[in-house]
Amino acid sequence: MIYFDNAATTGVSPEVLDKMLPFFKERFGNPSSQFYEAGRSAKEALENAREIIAGCLNCDINEVFFTASGSEADNWAVKGAAEAGLAKGKNKIITSAIEHHAVLNTCKYLEKHGYEVVYLPVDENGTVLPQTLKDAVDDKTSIVSIMLANNEIGTIEPIAELAGIAHEAGALFHTDAVQAAGHIETDFKALGVDLLSISGHKFHAPKGVGALITRKGLRLPNLIHGGGQEKGRRAGTENVPYIVGMAYALKFACDNMEENTKKIKAIRDRLISGIEEKIPYVKLNGHREQRLPGNVNFSFKYIEGESLMLWLDMNSVAVSSGSACASGSLDPSHVLLAIGLPHEIAHGSLRLSIGDLNTMEEADKLLEILPPIVEKLRAMSPLYENK
Ligand SMILES: *Cc1c(COP(=O)(O)O)cnc(C)c1O
């Protein structure tokens, strides 16, 4: 199989699994049980993981709060800041039209509960223009949530500048850095944000673990109530093996970032230029330069992304289409519509997301397989005939 869907998830790497295994076995203790060695050993691993993550993201150890997913971190940031803001008479939330559903649907939920939400538009590259935030933000705004890098089209947003604008108006700033962490430099201090979400399974840790980095001095209401874990802010016995796995996975990703980026970018650029050369009527989606190293997203006019995906699957290539088929809906992706694609073109979109385990040979293989599939599908398409 050729796996070009690394933005959906990645496998746990053997080195990460090795780091995790002791915490399923001899070091199984509850980190809250401090009166015997098994508990102390788990606690030590937990705090060591916190230190590793803080080192990778350039934040303080005390700013790292573990969660059970990237979605949970996003929910906590946005709901928490919105609730805290309301106590100060602020009922406005600002986000962008291209956020992940973990942020977008949280905002829709809050809208139903009386908050005002502004969905900032993006330009044709998927960039949030700072001026649009300047125009929208005011002293009623509690939180601005804009992603560091988009999961569908790979566009990297000018977060440091946007955070500065939010702060000038007295609003908090959250960034969903789930696609960024471990892939591009993700420096909490340099970004100047108050809240930052990550998720382990996008960089070779298991699914079901994440973190919300919360700036020192900022205390959000709890999302999960219960025991005193995570300084009383996020209850639930810590998932020690997964947290340890996430810490080492992030460390390996950051230690090897330069080398991996070079390799991944080369594969990405081969795919982009290859598709543009070999297939007519295509459009690259997302920003050409301010783009995740592993993201390729194309619209293929006159055909459906779904059919392309199925044909590629029959050839053992795993990719993702631009339609929200995961949710069982036939609507095209909100991200592709937000960058101005008409429905019929958004429907013919494909995302190839490249990871460190992919090879140039796989890219070349794809460039052999894809053009005849596109040609075959177009030959069957009435839209193509009448173009
Ligand atoms: C995957 C993803 C999430 C959700 O993370 P989970 O750990 O799967 O809940 C949130 N935001 C972005 C940008 C993502 O790519």
Side-chain angles (χ1 to χ4, degrees), residues 7 69-71 74 100 102 147 149 151 176 178-179 199 201-202 209:
S69 66
S71 297
D74 285 345
H100 187 274
M147 67 204 322
N151 47 304
D176 174 340
V178 171
Q179 288 291 334
S199 171
H201 74 99
K202 305 289 170 75
V209 62

